[in-house]
Amino acid sequence: MQVRRIKLTRIKEKEEYNDEDFVAVEEPLQIRICNRSCDTFAVIMRTPGNDKELSLGFLYSEGVIDNIEDVKNIDQRGNTIDVWISKPLKVKTRDLIVNSSCGVCGRAFLYTIDIIKSETKAKKEVIFSLPEKLKERQNVFNITGGLHASALFTIDGELIYLYEDVGRHNAVDKIIGRLILEKKIPASSYIMQVSGRLGYEIVSKGIKAGIPIICGISAPTSLAIEMAEEAGVTLIGFLRGRSFNIYTHMERIVF
C-alpha cells in the first residue's frame, strides 16, 4: 500500500476543523546480501512496492552486481529482501540507514566515471513534452503530493517505465533495476526524466546505467554538471513548460 489515510486538523485564517487526507507511505527496507550466509548490506527508507527493482538498482549502483547473471535468487519477506549473489562481495557492508534524501548514494561510483558512447539524439519538442507525461502518470503523487518520480522514455518521447518513491534516488534505482531485469544495460538509447533536482546521486546512477540524456524539472548541482560533462551525458535542468537549460553536451538535442 503506497498511500495511507490519516486524520488531521486544518487551520485557515478564521477557522479550524478536523479532516482526513492521504499521505505517502514510508517504511524501511532491509537489503541483505546472501552467499554462504545473509548479512545486512543497507536499510533503505522507501515507499513500499517494486522492492525487487529497487534492490537490484541499488546494488548495481553500489558495485555489488554487474548484471542479472550475478544474482542467483531474490527472496522477500515483508520489509526484508535477501539477494543471493554468485560472486564474493567486494564492497563493505553499509552499517547505516539510507534516508529518503540520501546524500551518500552511489559512493562506489565517485571516482569511476565511464564515458558513455552513444549517438542518441532527441528533438527539442520531445524534451518539452516529458514533464507533462511524467506528471500525468504520477498516480500516488496526484493523491498525496508527497512522492518523487523517475521515468524512462524513448528518444521519440514514448514512456517506457515510471516509478514513484519518497526518495528521488530510490525512484531512479527502480528504473535501473527494471533495466537489469530486462537486460537493457547499457541503456544507450533512452532519456531519463526526474521530478526534482539533479544531484550527484541521481546523475551518477544514470551514468552508470549508460543513459545518455538526463532531465530534471529543477536545478543540477555543480558536481552533477562536472560528472555529466566528463561522462558524455547531456544534462538538462529547469525543464518546465516550454523552456529548459542544457548544461552539458548539447549536441544531442536537435533544434
Side-chain angles (χ1 to χ4, degrees), residues 61 106-114 200 204 207-208 227:
S61 297
R107 54 159 190 194
F109 187 73
L110 186 54
Y111 302 110
T112 58
I113 295 177
D114 294 325
Y200 156 73
S204 66
I207 292 172
K208 189 170 176 62
M227 285 196 309

Side-chain angles (χ1 to χ4, degrees), residues 49-61 65-69 71 74 137 150-153 158-164 169-187 190 192 205 209 211:
N50 308 112
D51 291 332
K52 183 177 183 179
E53 290 93 333
L54 172 59
S55 300
L56 290 175
F58 179 76
L59 294 179
Y60 178 79
S61 297
I65 62 173
D66 295 320
N67 49 56
I68 194 62
E69 280 72 27
V71 179
I74 300 177
R137 296 289 296 275
S150 178
L152 199 72
F153 293 89
E158 178 187 355
L159 178 63
I160 304 300
Y161 317 131
L162 186 148
Y163 291 101
E164 293 181 286
H169 50 90
N170 289 344
V172 173
D173 276 336
K174 289 176 180 180
I175 290 282
I176 295 172
R178 181 71 174 273
L179 289 168
I180 291 170
L181 284 170
E182 297 188 0
K183 298 182 179 181
K184 291 181 179 178
I185 287 182
Y190 295 103
M192 184 169 72
K205 290 172 184 293
I211 300 170

Side-chain angles (χ1 to χ4, degrees), residues 1-51:
M1 186 67 174
Q2 294 181 315
V3 297
R4 185 170 296 156
R5 187 189 296 271
I6 52 95
K7 297 182 182 297
L8 53 81
T9 301
R10 296 194 188 274
I11 307 296
K12 296 188 177 181
E13 186 175 3
K14 295 182 179 180
E15 63 177 327
E16 64 180 69
Y17 56 94
N18 295 329
D19 199 0
E20 292 185 343
D21 203 352
F22 293 94
V23 297
V25 174
E26 181 177 29
E27 293 180 354
L29 176 67
Q30 180 187 27
I31 299 178
R32 302 200 305 173
I33 303 299
C34 304
N35 201 309
R36 294 180 179 177
S37 61
C38 293
D39 298 300
T40 299
F41 183 75
V43 178
I44 296 178
M45 302 307 297
R46 97 303 187 195
T47 300
N50 308 112
D51 291 332

Side-chain angles (χ1 to χ4, degrees), residues 105-193:
C105 296
R107 54 159 190 194
F109 187 73
L110 186 54
Y111 302 110
T112 58
I113 295 177
D114 294 325
I115 304 301
I116 291 180
K117 298 177 181 178
S118 171
E119 300 299 321
T120 294
K121 294 180 183 293
K123 294 180 180 179
K124 177 181 67 173
E125 293 299 322
V126 169
I127 301 298
F128 282 148
S129 73
L130 302 183
E132 190 61 31
K133 291 177 180 177
L134 180 72
K135 185 178 179 181
E136 288 174 355
R137 296 289 296 275
Q138 283 186 255
N139 296 328
V140 179
F141 175 84
N142 291 333
I143 297 173
T144 68
L147 287 185
H148 293 285
S150 178
L152 199 72
F153 293 89
T154 68
I155 59 171
D156 296 320
E158 178 187 355
L159 178 63
I160 304 300
Y161 317 131
L162 186 148
Y163 291 101
E164 293 181 286
D165 201 280
V166 288
R168 57 175 61 89
H169 50 90
N170 289 344
V172 173
D173 276 336
K174 289 176 180 180
I175 290 282
I176 295 172
R178 181 71 174 273
L179 289 168
I180 291 170
L181 284 170
E182 297 188 0
K183 298 182 179 181
K184 291 181 179 178
I185 287 182
S188 57
S189 59
Y190 295 103
I191 306 168
M192 184 169 72
Q193 169 75 34

